[in-house]
């Protein structure tokens, strides 16, 4: 009887794991080189952000449907691709990811060699912005070692609310927003600059000591920063359209 109960419990556990794993696959379009594209299901697991930032794991629709119906992963159903082979991908839920070159992941004086990464793009236009989530391993790595996580949900919540926000304008590679002179990005728009000075976007409220000393931001900081950047981009787009007439 004990053995029977054990097998029932094990089956239930594996079933839950399978359902959870299936939920990590999101339908979207993979943007390949030379204008080609491919419909796929891409794994987005925030317990291991490096799996979609430093290379993606995906399944073709026919393979995903088999996996969904059987709960079993067979052969080459799950495929992998490095960022050098694609430009990015778009998910059906509206999220956009783009392959960019980024260095200085350590935030130290010694710069890392630029590396291709596929990052979530949260703003597009004259100024582009990306989110870079912390890499994890089976155990939490050193940069997250000061946090104690009792379960997977706590870890995922922490990762999704503590990330680097990268900005790009008139350069080849993006830069962490905590390491920039903001006026180099918005200073050419007097209205947006005044709005920032008068705290119209609420961004100045986010300049806490923790933010000043670190390189990570949270969702609240992101929302305020994006409010300003989107305002800048909208006016830049209108001016560009006006000039082209």
């Amino acid at each position: 009887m004990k053995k029977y109960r054990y097998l029932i419990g094990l089956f239930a556990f594996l079933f839950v794991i399978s359902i959870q794993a299936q939920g990590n696959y999101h339908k979207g379009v993979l943007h390949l080189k030379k204008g080609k594209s491919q419909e796929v299901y891409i794994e987005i697991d925030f317990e291991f952000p490096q799996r979609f930032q430093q290379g993606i794991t995906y399944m073709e629709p026919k393979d995903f449907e088999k996996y969904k119906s059987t709960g079993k992963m067979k052969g080459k159903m799950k495929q992998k691709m490095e960022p050098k082979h694609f430009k990015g991908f778009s998910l059906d839920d509206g999220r956009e990811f783009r392959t960019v070159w980024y260095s200085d992941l350590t935030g130290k004086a010694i710069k890392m060699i630029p590396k291709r990464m596929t990052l979530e793009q949260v703003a597009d236009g004259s100024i582009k912005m990306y989110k870079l989530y912390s890499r994890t391993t089976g155990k939490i790595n050193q940069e997250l070692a000061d946090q104690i996580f009792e379960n997977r949900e706590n870890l995922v919540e922490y990762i999704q609310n503590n990330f680097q926000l990268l900005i790009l304008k008139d350069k080849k590679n993006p830069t962490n927003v905590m390491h920039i002179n903001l006026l180099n990005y918005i200073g050419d728009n007097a209205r947006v600059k005044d709005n920032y000075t008068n705290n119209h976007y609420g961004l100045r409220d986010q300049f806490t000591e923790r933010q000043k000393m670190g390189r990570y931001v949270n969702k609240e900081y992101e929302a305020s920063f994006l409010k300003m950047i989107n305002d800048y981009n909208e006016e830049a787009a209108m001016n560009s359209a006006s000039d082209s007439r």
Side-chain angles (χ1 to χ4, degrees), residues 114-126:
K115 184 176 183 179
R116 278 193 183 97
M117 304 188 74
T118 305
L119 306 180
E120 183 177 357
Q121 183 172 318
V122 293
D124 193 13
S126 297

Side-chain angles (χ1 to χ4, degrees), residues 169 180-189 193-194 196-197:
K169 180 187 179 184
I180 66 169
N181 180 340
L182 186 57
L183 292 182
N184 290 339
Y185 292 81
I186 66 163
D188 57 345
N189 186 314
K193 179 182 175 182
D194 288 343
Y196 164 73
T197 301

Side-chain angles (χ1 to χ4, degrees), residues 48-62:
F48 304 100
Q50 64 269 22
R51 292 182 181 175
F52 60 85
Q53 292 185 150
Q54 298 180 20
I56 60 169
T57 299
Y58 68 95
M59 284 190 279
E60 295 182 1
K62 59 181 179 61

Side-chain angles (χ1 to χ4, degrees), residues 77-95:
M77 292 171 63
K78 188 164 65 170
Q79 304 181 51
K80 297 182 183 294
M81 185 179 292
E82 297 179 1
K84 65 181 179 180
H85 297 303
F86 62 93
K87 294 182 177 180
F89 56 88
S90 306
L91 300 182
D92 277 14
D93 60 18
R95 285 180 291 176

Side-chain angles (χ1 to χ4, degrees), residues 54-206:
Q54 298 180 20
I56 60 169
T57 299
Y58 68 95
M59 284 190 279
E60 295 182 1
K62 59 181 179 61
D63 291 327
F64 180 77
E65 291 303 321
K66 290 181 182 178
Y67 174 48
K68 188 176 179 181
S69 62
T70 64
K72 298 179 180 179
M73 185 82 66
K74 295 182 179 180
K76 297 181 180 180
M77 292 171 63
K78 188 164 65 170
Q79 304 181 51
K80 297 182 183 294
M81 185 179 292
E82 297 179 1
K84 65 181 179 180
H85 297 303
F86 62 93
K87 294 182 177 180
F89 56 88
S90 306
L91 300 182
D92 277 14
D93 60 18
R95 285 180 291 176
E96 297 283 344
F97 293 77
R98 294 290 178 266
T99 298
V100 300
W101 285 92
Y102 183 59
S103 59
D104 191 25
L105 296 181
T106 64
K108 299 178 181 179
I110 300 176
K111 307 300 181 183
M112 291 183 64
I113 297 174
K115 184 176 183 179
R116 278 193 183 97
M117 304 188 74
T118 305
L119 306 180
E120 183 177 357
Q121 183 172 318
V122 293
D124 193 13
S126 297
I127 298 178
K128 303 180 187 299
M129 293 194 67
Y130 308 91
K131 293 173 75 168
L132 172 60
Y133 298 99
S134 295
R135 175 186 175 89
T136 61
T137 60
K139 296 181 180 180
I140 309 306
N141 69 348
Q142 187 61 40
E143 63 183 331
L144 301 180
D146 59 336
Q147 297 291 326
I148 299 176
F149 303 104
E150 297 179 355
N151 53 49
R152 180 183 186 278
E153 288 72 22
N154 289 344
L155 168 60
V156 170
E157 181 180 359
Y158 179 85
I159 289 174
Q160 291 181 324
N161 200 42
N162 291 270
F163 49 87
Q164 293 186 55
L165 199 58
L166 312 182
I167 189 169
L168 177 65
K169 180 187 179 184
D170 301 330
K171 289 184 179 180
K172 187 175 181 180
N173 303 324
T175 306
N176 189 312
V177 298
M178 306 304 287
H179 302 156
I180 66 169
N181 180 340
L182 186 57
L183 292 182
N184 290 339
Y185 292 81
I186 66 163
D188 57 345
N189 186 314
R191 183 185 62 81
V192 173
K193 179 182 175 182
D194 288 343
N195 282 345
Y196 164 73
T197 301
N198 295 323
N199 204 29
H200 173 74
Y201 308 110
L203 181 58
R204 298 175 72 86
D205 296 332
Q206 306 301 320

